[in-house]
Amino acid sequence: MSTVEIETRLFIDGEFVPSSDGAKFDLYSPFTGELAAQVHEAKDVDVDRAVESGKKAFPAWAAMDGSTRRTLMLRLADLVDQNISEFARLEALSMGKPVSSYMDQIGTATLRYYAGKALDIHGETSLLSEGQLNFSLKQPYGVTAAIIPWNVPLIMICFKVGPALIAGNTLVLKSSEKAPLTSLLFARLTKEAGFPPGVFNVVSGFGQTCGDALARHKEIRKIAFTGSSRTGKLIQKAAVESNFKDCSLELGGKSPIVIFQDADLEKAAKAAAFSIVANSGQVCMASSRVYVQGSIMNQFKPMYLNAIQAVTGNIGDPLSKDTGFGPQADTQQHKSVSAFVEQAKNDRLKVLLDSSSGKDGKGNFVFPMVLHDVPDSHNLMQEEIFGAISCLNTFKTEEEVISRANDSEFGLYATVFTRDLNRAIRMAKNFEAGSVGVNISSPYYCQDLPLGGFKQSGTGRELGKEGLDMWTEVKSVYVSLG
């Protein structure tokens, strides 16, 4: 596989540079198994270089007029849109996202939203104390860091870059070793857009070295992470043990979708199917626990299975425009999801739609699988699988299903389908989840409302005003008028 024109170096101080010791890691296509690129691997020395670059750039960037930062961000969004086919190609090469479905991964709406917030970073004023004018300021942290996952790299870049840079911070971003190429393309576009050197830096590497170095770096005052709950705990621990840097985490999910007997069943079936099949099931908010009221299960079941097969479409080469369902991101991810498939069979769970690993012996494929009447305590109902495996169970009453839906350590997304508005509001209030869909399911979200999780699904929020606030510190100022 050709590696021509693929940028693989680190991006520090506005330039692409090799890793300090020349180390590289191999990136393989999850479909062909062929070498896609050899990417420069950042170590702690490279993290130091990137942080120093951000530190040097911070004073001028923080002092820059907000309208100038807005202009740069809008210019960047335009460049990302213009290069979207190349982003699609690089993600298909590295983690297997089909180019045919890439338009839902663009993410530039987030950049444009936060560009519009550039002149809306305000504190508050108080005249309640005699002889005083008191007010608060919202100011950037300084050098900040972000660690993004491999499943939707461009969206996650935009989630972090938009608010971090508009707030006046400089940023060091670590890409996933499974999908580092799009972050480097994005870095090139920040330079083309005119962002000053050091404002945005990219380091490619592994969690135990590069990621840990960022989490422990004492010059970094805020870090944001999206990924697994296990890794999120390690990052928060490192942040506390170093300099108590502010830490926001968007972690895993085991999202329930509840379908009542009065729901639009066709709409619910299509939404539930898309939620679990999209991106080969590699979505943190995927609706993997499907609860259907008992009286409609026989009617809903074939609709759901047919919808899953329709959404799956052609299975094959992610670079082909005819492919709808790609491979798992790499052999490690394939092995992890396949283990759940084997456990379902070994435990003799009822299978409605079977799954097979591989396709003519080629590619890291795990096809969609639907299980039926899985005990709530089973680990396929409790653990995040990150593959297109769903459990379809029945329930009788509203009280019963809300209890079962909340019986999870995760709380990222929850969904209810019903025509009863009062019931919909009750369910929305009672779900232990950061986002709730009513007659619409994940991965739907909107730019102007916060996104995040309850319980082990994370801390802090992204998107909306709250997402911008996460990248600022608040300072109170007291002025005597005596």
Side-chain angles (χ1 to χ4, degrees), residues 249-264:
L249 307 168
E250 199 269 278
L251 307 176
K254 192 68 180 174
S255 300
I257 178 170
V258 177
I259 301 165
F260 285 93
Q261 61 186 5
D262 67 336
D264 181 333

Side-chain angles (χ1 to χ4, degrees), residues 418-467:
T418 180
R419 288 187 170 94
D420 185 332
L421 179 60
N422 290 330
R423 176 192 285 146
I425 298 302
R426 287 195 303 270
M427 294 291 291
K429 288 177 63 178
N430 289 325
F431 275 133
E432 294 174 354
S435 296
V436 175
V438 176
N439 297 324
I440 190 170
S441 189
S442 65
Y444 178 81
Y445 62 88
C446 56
Q447 310 299 327
D448 55 344
L449 288 178
L451 187 68
F454 285 18
K455 299 184 281 190
Q456 289 196 41
S457 286
T459 60
R461 292 295 182 267
E462 295 188 294
L463 300 180
K465 181 180 180 296
E466 291 85 350

Side-chain angles (χ1 to χ4, degrees), residues 241-453:
E241 291 176 347
S242 55
N243 61 341
F244 230 107
K245 60 176 62 65
D246 186 80
C247 189
S248 56
L249 307 168
E250 199 269 278
L251 307 176
K254 192 68 180 174
S255 300
I257 178 170
V258 177
I259 301 165
F260 285 93
Q261 61 186 5
D262 67 336
D264 181 333
L265 297 189
E266 183 176 356
K267 182 179 181 180
K270 290 179 179 179
F274 181 80
S275 181
I276 194 63
V277 172
N279 208 21
S280 302
Q282 299 169 136
V283 179
C284 57
M285 58 179 69
S287 300
S288 55
R289 295 184 292 145
V290 185
Y291 296 96
V292 180
Q293 202 154 25
S295 59
I296 57 168
M297 176 58 85
N298 289 337
Q299 183 182 357
F300 180 82
K301 192 187 306 180
M303 297 172 69
Y304 181 52
L305 299 180
N306 290 336
I308 285 181
Q309 292 173 322
V311 172
T312 302
N314 292 329
I315 299 171
D317 186 353
L319 287 168
S320 171
K321 293 183 179 180
D322 296 326
T323 297
F325 188 90
Q328 304 303 126
D330 64 1
T331 55
Q332 179 184 355
Q333 182 65 14
H334 176 264
K335 182 178 180 180
S336 174
V337 179
S338 296
F340 283 102
V341 173
E342 291 306 310
Q343 182 182 8
K345 294 179 178 179
N346 291 338
D347 291 350
R348 300 185 183 278
L349 298 178
K350 186 175 181 180
V351 179
L352 298 181
L353 185 65
D354 202 355
S355 177
S356 303
S357 297
K359 184 177 187 292
D360 299 327
K362 185 178 182 181
N364 294 309
F365 290 97
V366 181
F367 303 155
M369 184 179 202
V370 179
L371 306 170
H372 191 37
D373 290 336
V374 182
D376 289 335
S377 59
H378 197 283
N379 70 329
L380 272 87
M381 285 285 285
Q382 293 294 326
E383 295 182 22
E384 184 176 41
I385 296 172
F386 231 58
I389 300 175
S390 62
C391 299
L392 183 63
N393 288 355
T394 58
F395 72 92
K396 292 181 180 179
T397 67
E398 180 180 327
E399 294 74 20
E400 171 207 342
V401 77
I402 196 68
S403 175
R404 293 170 66 189
N406 289 338
D407 182 21
S408 170
E409 286 301 310
F410 298 105
L412 189 57
Y413 206 106
T415 299
V416 58
F417 273 83
T418 180
R419 288 187 170 94
D420 185 332
L421 179 60
N422 290 330
R423 176 192 285 146
I425 298 302
R426 287 195 303 270
M427 294 291 291
K429 288 177 63 178
N430 289 325
F431 275 133
E432 294 174 354
S435 296
V436 175
V438 176
N439 297 324
I440 190 170
S441 189
S442 65
Y444 178 81
Y445 62 88
C446 56
Q447 310 299 327
D448 55 344
L449 288 178
L451 187 68

